[in-house]
Amino acid sequence: MESTEIRKLVALEDRHWWYAERRRILASLLDTEIRQWGDLIALDIGAAGGGNTRVLRAAGAFAVPVEYGPEGAEAARDRGLPAVRGDAGGLPFTTAAAGLIVAFDILEHIEDDAAVLGEFARVLRPGGRLWVAVPCDMSLWSDHDRAVGHVRRYDRTELVEKVVAAGFEVQDVWSWNVLLRPVVNLRRRRAQGSDLGEIGRFTNWALARIIAMERYLPFVRRRSGVSLILIARRGGIDTTDQVGPNRGLVGDR
């Protein structure tokens, strides 16, 4: 993603309905899962300003924001987060260092997404979790995708096959932003460039209420949305002794 889009994202993410609801999804996943793991090292890949990192930390994880570009890393550090600059295809962490990787809206920016998924598998300990969010359905392709640096939108089968090929066991995958898909499609067909931008307070409030309804309508998850969310487990038996948040996290590959 270009630096101008990163700056837009950082400026918007604390209040924009889309980012706020996605943080609630992350918090809900953590509330369900983190109690089972104990001391958890989590990597937030493509963290930008660290909105998701803060959710991970609030849940008790030792969370590290990872950013490729300087703008996002600097924004995360300005918020007091220990940002690490790194390429998702060659992460600067030791093998089996982490228990959780959150990669929200990252894979669609990367030509060789299979290599990145393989790198996630390397860095995760056996039994570790991978949580992915990606834009879906190439029929929604628009100037927005080009402006924010997307190289693809995924369908469900493609995403699952790539994750499984990297050595993961997919536990769940569902559509998100289903109710607002017609609105998003219409807006992007008419607009030029990225649709990241300020919106009115009432519009933001209304869209937040609509997207929140998906939490209580589980049947919409199987319909076509704007994004896909996938939960997977790294294959193998975990024989590591993760005794503390600094255990061998950063080092040679």
Side-chain angles (χ1 to χ4, degrees), residues 12 17 32 56 91 101 116 156 164 204 222 234 246 250:
L12 288 171
W17 64 272
T32 302
L56 292 163
L91 293 167
I101 285 178
V116 169
R156 194 181 301 245
V164 169
N204 193 61
R222 302 304 166 192
R234 168 78 160 84
N246 296 311
V250 179

Side-chain angles (χ1 to χ4, degrees), residues 11-78:
L12 288 171
E13 68 174 347
D14 281 347
R15 58 187 179 277
H16 193 280
W17 64 272
W18 193 89
Y19 294 104
E21 182 62 22
R22 202 174 61 172
R23 287 194 297 272
R24 291 190 183 96
I25 292 171
L26 178 58
S28 177
L29 289 170
L30 287 163
D31 185 57
T32 302
E33 296 275 2
I34 200 169
R35 296 172 190 168
Q36 305 173 25
W37 299 340
D39 185 16
L40 175 68
I41 293 174
L43 305 179
D44 182 12
I45 309 296
N52 291 330
T53 310
R54 287 180 290 177
V55 175
L56 292 163
R57 290 194 156 223
F62 179 79
V64 179
V66 182
E67 255 297 316
Y68 178 76
E71 292 84 5
E74 182 179 356
R77 289 170 187 151
D78 287 344

Side-chain angles (χ1 to χ4, degrees), residues 83-94:
V84 172
R85 287 195 60 192
D87 187 332
L91 293 167
F93 303 107
T94 55

Side-chain angles (χ1 to χ4, degrees), residues 21 24 179 208-221:
E21 182 62 22
R24 291 190 183 96
L179 298 178
R209 295 304 179 273
I210 294 170
I211 195 69
M213 291 172 61
E214 294 191 13
R215 301 179 219 163
Y216 312 105
L217 300 171
F219 66 88
V220 305
R221 291 182 165 203

